[in-house]
Amino acid sequence: MESKPIYQFHKGDRLEITSVQVEGVMRRRLLDLGFVRGAVIDVVQKSPLGDPIAFRVFNTSIALRREESSLIHAVKMEEDSEVKVQ
Amino acid sequence: MSHRVALAGNPNTGKSTLFNLLTGLRQHTGNWPGKTVVRAEGELRTDNHTFQIIDLPGTYSLYSNSADEEVARDYIIFEKPDITLVVVDATSLERNLNLALQVLEMTKNVIVCVNLIDEARRKGITVDKKELSRRLGVPVVLLSAREKIGVIQLMKTMDQMVDGKISTDPYLIPYEEEVEKKIEEMEPRIKEIFGDSMPSRWLALRLLDGDKNLLQALKTYIRDPQSVEIKHEPAQGGCCHGA
Ligand SMILES: Nc1nc2c(ncn2[C@@H]2O[C@H](COP(=O)(O)OP(=O)(O)OP(=O)(O)O)[C@@H](O)[C@H]2O)c(=O)[nH]1
Ligand SMILES: [Mg+2]
């Protein structure tokens, strides 16, 4: 399965994070918010221009700018583990 | 003599609700010195003790990413509460345990309060209190601050902790071999400087992390320990720092 930056997925996709390449203070911050390798997150909402994007991480919605979401990689999970988002 | 109890936890886990329940009207608020972060303190009298309860700001972490995190970290590290209550949300334990594990690296005197247990029940989530307590190495109390469930058990546990009737063995995260080696080298030096007044493993980790903000706070603390308002009270029994 191909790993890509999480902003490239679509609303409703369920992802498993494969790497977090952000550095420094922002890295710490993202890890604390739950963007860790192995975490399962959902793409909840894309704004009209595609930035920022809201993700659901361990029960909390968190919006990330392209700046950060381009440095977090994930793979899309199987269809049967997908959640429906209307 | 009153014992100081800090309430720590993620945002929105019911810390203030629990604080209000424990302290009733015996509370006052102000600001933390030099910060625009509200500081609320109140008093609780149980059967055997008087507690001074401090409601810390809600944070996801204690690695000083923000003024809130700094306030909470400094309180636990420099002011050394007799007990730290870590309030976690029963409906999202996985997220909340990040902060709980950080606190366990900082102090031994922790009670984990699994709050919103009513909400968890509604969602069909059950929390195995015994197993959680066994794995974390500290007491766990199930609570609903809103529905006033579990408060008596919490007060009992607080009494037992300050009476030295509970000995804790907090779970410490094992790190990679390389990191563990460095910690091992640093800890004796840290203990030489700070004795038992600082959690040496935690401090070694912060230094390895290059946490400049903490270094600054430490320098202030070494120059003038009173500047961070340390009110030492004799350790109670076997469960407190340095005992
Ligand atoms: N169902 C339920 N709701 C609760 C419980 N405890 C608190 N709440 C609710 O959760 C919300 C947040 O409670 P607070 O006490 O303000 O949470 P807090 O941890 O102080 O929040 P911050 O100070 O922002 O970090 C409020 O709407 C409370 O009524 C509980 O045990 N069960
Ligand atoms: Mg609050």
Side-chain angles (χ1 to χ4, degrees):
Chain A
M1 185 62 87
E2 193 201 352
S3 168
K4 347 179 250 193
I6 54 175
Y7 78 85
Q8 291 178 8
F9 293 92
H10 300 102
K11 179 169 159 179
D13 285 354
R14 175 160 284 193
L15 318 174
E16 181 178 335
I17 296 180
T18 52
S19 73
V20 180
Q21 289 156 11
V22 188
E23 291 300 327
V25 175
M26 185 46 86
R27 178 185 182 81
R28 181 73 252 171
R29 185 97 198 115
L30 289 170
L31 295 178
D32 285 330
L33 289 173
F35 291 92
V36 293
R37 184 158 36 88
V40 174
I41 65 172
D42 295 319
V43 183
V44 180
Q45 181 104 56
K46 287 197 154 187
S47 14
L49 299 175
D51 191 28
I53 300 175
F55 299 93
R56 189 134 191 101
V57 191
F58 294 128
N59 240 346
T60 302
S61 291
I62 293 162
L64 294 185
R65 290 165 301 178
R66 182 71 55 86
E67 239 175 300
E68 290 95 32
S69 60
S70 61
L71 295 169
I72 301 172
H73 285 70
V75 291
K76 191 169 172 217
M77 295 183 72
E78 301 297 322
E79 289 298 321
D80 57 22
S81 61
E82 203 164 83
V83 275
K84 290 267 176 295
V85 179
Q86 30 262 347
Chain B
M1 181 178 64
S2 93
H3 305 276
R4 282 170 312 112
V5 178
L7 279 166
N10 284 11
N12 221 31
T13 52
K15 294 177 298 301
S16 299
T17 309
L18 180 59
F19 173 80
N20 288 329
L21 186 60
L22 292 176
T23 61
L25 292 173
R26 299 173 302 278
Q27 52 173 268
H28 61 270
T29 55
N31 270 5
W32 292 84
K35 306 240 162 61
T36 49
V37 179
V38 177
R39 173 175 176 139
E41 277 192 51
E43 195 181 276
L44 163 70
R45 292 205 184 120
T46 60
D47 292 343
N48 305 320
H49 296 285
T50 304
F51 294 93
Q52 192 67 28
I53 318 252
I54 294 97
D55 189 12
L56 297 177
T59 60
Y60 288 114
S61 171
L62 294 171
Y63 292 142
S64 59
N65 294 307
S66 65
D68 280 0
E69 293 187 11
E70 220 170 280
V71 160
R73 176 203 66 194
D74 287 356
Y75 192 81
I76 295 172
I77 287 297
F78 298 123
E79 297 197 42
K80 299 181 183 60
D82 298 292
I83 300 177
T84 301
L85 301 179
V86 180
V87 182
V88 299
D89 178 347
T91 68
S92 82
L93 271 189
E94 202 166 6
R95 156 174 303 287
N96 281 247
L97 287 177
N98 179 46
L99 183 93
L101 290 173
Q102 290 183 19
V103 175
L104 292 182
E105 286 188 323
M106 300 161 86
T107 164
K108 284 181 102 137
N109 307 322
V110 175
I111 300 171
V112 171
C113 302
V114 179
N115 193 34
L116 292 113
I117 202 73
D118 57 309
E119 192 65 31
R121 280 187 191 134
R122 262 192 291 280
K123 290 186 174 169
I125 300 167
T126 50
V127 177
D128 187 341
K129 171 178 115 159
K130 261 205 177 136
E131 179 63 10
L132 190 60
S133 170
R134 192 185 67 75
R135 295 232 201 144
L136 295 177
V138 297
V140 170
V141 178
L142 303 184
L143 279 175
S144 166
R146 186 191 270 176
E147 297 186 1
K148 306 185 172 63
I149 298 167
V151 192
I152 294 181
Q153 186 56 41
L154 172 61
M155 295 194 289
K156 236 162 107 184
T157 311
M158 289 163 64
D159 276 345
Q160 288 171 342
M161 190 167 266
V162 294
D163 285 337
K165 287 182 184 149
I166 297 175
S167 63
T168 64
D169 182 18
Y171 175 78
L172 299 177
I173 300 165
Y175 295 92
E176 297 160 30
E177 207 183 309
E178 197 192 335
V179 176
E180 287 293 344
K181 245 194 193 140
K182 294 228 168 77
I183 297 173
E184 210 177 296
E185 282 168 32
M186 293 167 78
E187 273 199 87
R189 281 286 292 139
I190 292 171
K191 284 195 177 129
E192 245 171 66
I193 299 168
F194 293 104
D196 281 334
S197 72
M198 286 282 151
S200 53
R201 180 181 172 84
W202 177 84
L203 190 48
L205 282 161
R206 305 278 39 89
L207 293 173
L208 286 171
D209 212 22
D211 187 339
K212 296 207 177 73
N213 176 297
L214 175 73
L215 276 179
Q216 198 49 52
L218 265 180
K219 278 181 194 152
T220 315
Y221 170 70
I222 293 168
R223 249 182 270 129
D224 180 13
Q226 298 309 315
S227 71
V228 282
E229 278 181 55
I230 306 224
K231 292 162 237 151
H232 275 296
E233 283 169 359
Q236 291 289 303
C239 69
C240 299
H241 284 285

